[in-house]
Amino acid sequence: MSQDVVSFSVEDGIAVVTICNPPVNVISAAVRAGLSEALTKIGSLDGVRAVVLTAEGSTFCSGADIGEFSGPPREAEYRDLFRRLEQFPRPLLAALYGTVLGGGLELSLACHYRIAAAGSRLGLPELTLGIIPGAGGTQRMPRLIGLEQTLELLFSGRPVDAARALELGFVDQVSEGPLREAALAYARAVVAAGKGPRRTCDRAVDPATATPQIIERLKEKAKRQFPHRVAPFSAIEAVSAALTEPFEQGLRTEEQIANRSKATVEAKAQIHVFFAERETRKIPGLAPGAPRAIRRAGIVGAGTMGGGIAMSFANAGVPVTLLDASEDALERGRKSIADLYASMLKRGRISERQRDERLALISDARDYEALRDADVLVEAVFEQMQLKREIFARLDSIAKAGAILATNTSTLDINEIAAATGRPQDVIGLHFFSPAHVMPLLEVVRAEATSLQTIGAAMDLAKRLRKTPVLAKVCYGFIGNRMMEGYAREAQRMVLEGATPRQVDSALENFGMAMGILAVFDMAGIDVGVNVHKSNADKYPPDPTYYQADLALHAAGRLGQKSGMGYYKYLPGDRTRHDDPEALAILRGHAAALGVPQRRHGEEEMLERCLFPLMNEGLRILEEGVALRAGDIDVVWTSGYGFPRYRGGPMFYADTIGLKTLRDGMLKYRQQFGPLHWEPAPLLSRLVEEGRTLADWSREHRA
Ligand code: NAD
């Protein structure tokens, strides 16, 4: 087995060791065994004067085997193998290409020389999983590039390209041509120059890169950049050991800190989200097959969402036609797409060529004939059932057989929309989030008649568009907005009870939400929410204080950022929130009219009142089968609603605080506010009675 994943050949006195562990050459146990075996064999061969270590396939080793994280610690195994590489008596050169991350990069640091193909990307993303490099990275990297740059690399989590790696000093040469030849030439040059192994472990960290001022600055940066997290401080501690401890002792310190990091909630939470994101595409009953070809797309409705969705297709290289009823709307759509690409160009996100190519992929039309060839059609017109049904009947009459017919509706019943066609099996919800060309989340909503093939095609499409799809069943609000209902309801209710918008938003932001929900309403437009509530009044509970803060502000002409005032006040051209006594007066006045008693709220209450209903609804959604897995719900909230990844999403967080705490919290507020909004979900009560966790439940109900 080990022979399959690592092989070597000797050419002209240079041994070339090749790792082949598709798809991305993770350093699995077999790769480690294979490398070890290859070293032994090469060590016994006379006439080998240098070794090149490289890989086959799309990339050099992309990292350690993350699947091993849940098992026993492997640091010692890596340490021993990498020590063998480093101590190898003949020069050892790593030839890097593709995406060289984490353990893959650490492997190369144990080699004596490094050459990288131009365009390779190299990085240490461990902190994004709440852990630190545990295979020598915290000890070797600072010996090559200094303490400060090592920590900057770790804090950013993003890979740098080969040119930057060369500049920093952890790559010795960048190859523009074929890598293998360049690596062999480099190895021969090393031999010819009589250079021997150049061991990273023998170097010392440049003390100028590790002054007390630098360390202080990095600690301050970590505090700002990573609130509530310990991993960045663990990284500082481990990297600092490279300065103060001999190499071998530093490795042992790294191991201890790495194991401590892996046991933290933040690491478990982030690793949970990492795996959950990879699981969302697994649909029971759906056999893996070749993805359905998407050669052309069509969008109906060139407004905010339609334009963003068209850009998502163009960004993925798919030609797309944007249709709207009016020439004016098309003109506005075209302009806003051009403006968005111009701003991406200005910020260096795309090149001029990419902008031109993408714009050229988007055409527009007013005639449905132009959509005949589309393999997928996405409707994004006004949120009106009759209108959507008419459009679907129209699409049914022109779309080619087997095309995906998708709606971007947020609130309407997709079964009813599908019934307007003669092919409900092809109709599905594709709920994009705004701005659609940026947000990674895509809720894929299956209606009663949607076929498995259509679901599979939608999942493949999401991959093509580089979105994270999560499958939901039709219900009001699907997964994300349905859970947001109680979360936002309580935020609005608390500002009627006397809390200020700033207090509520700060409580949520201190917890780690990307933005407080009231500031979100200001950004999205208070009128948008009010209109949704007005047209769905029949779906809401009989509560006279329900979503009344929005209503009061709306009645006073405060529509949020676009009108310069909402829950907060905004200066022209500036999104900074300012507290506004006028908003408070409106809220107080409305509370008095509704008879809502005034009082003070502690931060804990503000958090509980928002988060308990959110998690409770998640348990209902799970039990009803609206979401397939607890992990899917966590993906929706971490990738679409700004829930902190380091808390793992709402379902993971429910287990973190304990389901009993959640159930007792619901009961506490039920006593205070009555049962209307505070009934514990049946699944929650049951799991608490059985003394089980959501993780237990998920294991038994693995989809
Ligand atoms: P919008 O008002 O910005 O755009 C709607 C577009 O549809 C307009 O350009 C309009 O001219 C066009 N249109 C209207 N009738 C038409 C017809 N008969 N034929 C062709 N085009 C027609 O609306 P939006 O915010 O882009 O929302 C579109 C859909 O997406 C709605 O169903 C909405 O619920 C949903 N949605 C919106 C958001 C959001 O954040 N805005 C998020 C997710 C889903």
Side-chain angles (χ1 to χ4, degrees), residues 300-306 323-326 329 332 368 379-383 387-388 391 408-411 431-434:
V300 184
T304 315
M305 294 308 289
L323 179 144
D324 206 292
S326 79
R332 276 195 306 275
Y368 279 77
E379 165 279 311
V381 302
F382 302 140
E383 189 76 337
L387 178 63
K388 298 214 185 227
I391 286 172
N408 187 44
T409 182
S410 306
T411 58
H431 188 222
F432 288 82
F433 286 73
S434 182

Side-chain angles (χ1 to χ4, degrees), residues 23 74 82 110 125 139 142 160 224 234 261 264 273 298 301 322 346 387 411 430 447 487 520 526 569 600 610 637 651:
R74 305 278 175 192
F82 290 5
Q139 303 306 297
V160 296
R224 277 196 315 276
S234 304
S261 303
T264 58
V273 176
L322 196 50
K346 200 166 142 202
L387 178 63
T411 58
L430 288 182
Y487 171 76
V520 169
I526 288 183
K569 194 165 61 190
R600 295 180 80 81
C610 290
W637 272 79
M651 297 294 91

